[in-house]
Amino acid sequence: MKALNNIFKRAADAPKRVVLAEGEDPRILEAATVATERGIAQITVLGDDAKIRALAAENNLNLDGITLLDPASSPELARYADALYQKRKAKGMTEAQAAEQVKNPLIYAQVMVQLDDADGSVAGAVYTTGDVVRSAIQIIGMAPSASMISSFFLMMLCEPFHELK
């Protein structure tokens, strides 16, 4: 627990803009509310606004301070689609494909990071690790000095996340 509390403290000292692509999952909404309440990140949750609000109400979660954004109706849709197209056209992506794919919350989240509209994205509760890593590599890319990709997850078996102090 000490290691995780150290991570929380460091995050609270310099909160970053984090986008969560799986906003229609109650676990993600709970994590978003806890992170916001603790001041460890500025959270944007992606998904259908009405579904997210209903899920939050059903689970007694406070969405104050959390930005909700539906990629399918975002005012940034055209800009994000163009950024995705520019990034992937050499691999055969068409403008129409980019316009459709950017409506996917996972893709939208990665474009947000690529365009510096978010500092990072978190996914993997609903999407597979392969989907998350593949989209990050294709859209954000690897640092020129990186030669390897890695991912990780934390399992806490002792206490629920919301009970950590």
Side-chain angles (χ1 to χ4, degrees):
M1 300 317 306
K2 186 177 180 181
L4 199 50
N5 285 331
N6 287 338
I7 292 170
F8 291 154
K9 167 132 181 34
R10 289 181 62 196
D13 289 344
K16 301 294 183 192
R17 301 165 300 155
V18 176
V19 59
L20 305 178
E22 300 158 316
E24 295 174 24
D25 183 300
R27 299 168 296 175
I28 301 308
L29 284 184
E30 181 179 2
T33 61
V34 171
T36 301
E37 288 167 1
R38 292 184 180 184
I40 62 175
Q42 298 168 20
I43 301 291
T44 298
V45 174
L46 301 182
D48 179 270
D49 190 89
K51 288 180 185 175
I52 292 170
R53 289 187 188 284
L55 191 57
E58 180 182 314
N59 288 279
N60 240 1
L61 299 171
N62 180 357
L63 297 176
D64 289 348
I66 297 171
T67 301
L68 303 182
L69 183 60
D70 185 350
S73 61
S74 167
E76 299 292 344
L77 203 54
R79 182 170 75 97
Y80 282 22
D82 183 60
L84 179 60
Y85 169 69
Q86 296 302 326
K87 187 78 173 181
R88 302 293 300 157
K89 67 182 178 184
K91 296 290 185 180
M93 181 174 281
T94 66
E95 290 181 73
Q97 289 170 326
E100 191 57 37
Q101 284 188 23
V102 80
K103 294 176 187 175
N104 175 311
L106 180 60
I107 303 302
Y108 191 95
Q110 306 300 22
V111 175
M112 283 183 75
V113 174
Q114 197 256 340
L115 293 178
D116 199 33
D117 290 341
D119 298 309
S121 69
V122 177
V126 176
Y127 294 106
T128 67
T129 300
D131 289 340
V132 174
V133 172
R134 185 177 314 102
S135 66
I137 292 168
Q138 291 175 347
I139 298 166
I140 300 168
M142 291 176 51
S145 61
S147 61
M148 180 184 304
I149 297 291
S150 180
S151 70
F152 75 96
F153 66 94
L154 298 173
M155 291 183 67
M156 295 183 341
L157 303 175
C158 50
E159 296 180 52
F161 179 67
H162 63 276
E163 292 179 9
L164 289 175
K165 300 291 179 207

